[in-house]
Amino acid sequence: MRIAKGKSGYIQSKKKWEITKTCLEFGMVLAVFLTGYFTTKTRLNLLTVAAVLGCLPAAKALVGVIMLFPHHSMERGKVEEIEEKAPALVKAYDMILTSYEKIMPIDSIVIFENIVCGYSGSNKIDVNDTASYIKKMLRNNQYDKVSVKIFTDYKTYMTRVEGMENMAVAERKSSQEHEEGIRRTILSLSM
């Protein structure tokens, strides 16, 4: 079963799908090549050309697997804790944001009005560059004056999430559509 982008477990689901797709595509390439070889008793035939051309999309699928391989979904316990402590906030999980220069894994984000907070368990992420990139992309999509903060310390992130939840409960306006728009924009940056 495939999990939608932004939901918990998305990366693991996407890995399985990409691996399956890659195996099927290389299997079809092999089947076409072997069909041509066994029917003509030589590899010099048109089916060999078709098999070689079929390697292009299969190799592209393999690149997708290689890109996803080092990344993992957020731990189930942490997801449950966030869901429990922040039911009023708009949330997204398991994102791998991509820019021309970098790949930025984000385990979780929460959104309230014009505040976006994210958590990344990766120690290789540059939190300032990631926050600047998200802010720039939101500005390009007409979401001005959005504050973006990325944390690598889970406890600090959870403290911020609880604070945002308290603000959301205290002054809940109907900004759900605005927050969902910010969420969709951030998910569009993700693999």
Side-chain angles (χ1 to χ4, degrees):
M1 180 174 112
R2 290 180 67 185
I3 297 174
K5 189 187 285 192
K7 300 288 183 190
S8 175
Y10 172 73
I11 292 176
Q12 294 308 108
S13 171
K14 180 86 170 156
K15 273 186 196 178
K16 288 177 187 174
W17 169 249
E18 290 292 328
I19 289 170
T20 302
K21 186 170 85 169
T22 301
C23 290
L24 287 173
E25 289 187 15
F26 276 112
M28 288 177 11
V29 166
L30 184 61
V32 169
F33 174 76
L34 291 176
T35 300
Y37 183 77
F38 288 126
T39 56
T40 63
K41 305 292 189 245
T42 179
R43 61 182 173 80
L44 303 174
N45 59 59
L46 287 177
L47 288 179
T48 300
V49 173
V52 168
L53 291 175
C55 285
L56 294 173
K60 183 179 182 228
L62 181 61
V63 168
V65 171
I66 293 168
M67 291 286 293
L68 285 170
F69 196 73
H71 304 287
H72 304 285
S73 291
M74 188 175 194
E75 298 167 22
R76 190 78 197 133
K78 289 181 178 179
V79 171
E80 289 170 358
E81 182 180 5
I82 293 168
E83 290 292 331
E84 177 187 319
K85 294 190 177 185
L89 299 177
V90 172
K91 298 169 279 300
Y93 301 98
D94 291 353
M95 295 161 289
I96 304 170
L97 304 182
T98 54
S99 70
Y100 290 115
E101 300 88 27
K102 296 181 180 182
I103 295 176
M104 301 159 276
I106 305 286
D107 293 329
S108 169
I109 61 166
V110 292
I111 304 164
F112 173 67
E113 292 182 352
N114 281 337
I115 303 169
V116 176
C117 284
Y119 166 72
S120 177
S122 172
N123 56 0
K124 296 178 184 176
I125 190 171
D126 183 338
V127 293
N128 294 326
D129 282 351
T130 302
S132 298
Y133 175 70
I134 292 171
K135 198 171 187 175
K136 176 183 159 198
M137 291 296 121
L138 289 171
R139 195 176 322 112
N140 289 348
N141 286 280
Q142 279 67 48
Y143 292 104
D144 297 322
K145 300 176 184 167
V146 176
S147 168
V148 179
K149 179 72 174 156
I150 307 296
F151 298 92
T152 54
D153 179 49
Y154 183 71
K155 289 181 181 176
T156 308
Y157 173 68
M158 285 309 297
T159 302
R160 185 66 176 138
V161 167
E162 289 171 2
M164 289 173 65
E165 175 67 17
N166 292 337
M167 289 189 313
V169 169
E171 55 185 77
R172 193 56 168 164
K173 303 172 188 168
S174 64
S175 62
Q176 190 85 12
E177 187 175 311
H178 175 75
E179 294 162 357
E180 284 293 335
I182 291 173
R183 180 181 183 272
R184 280 191 304 273
T185 302
I186 293 171
L187 288 177
S188 71
L189 305 173
S190 179
M191 290 176 36

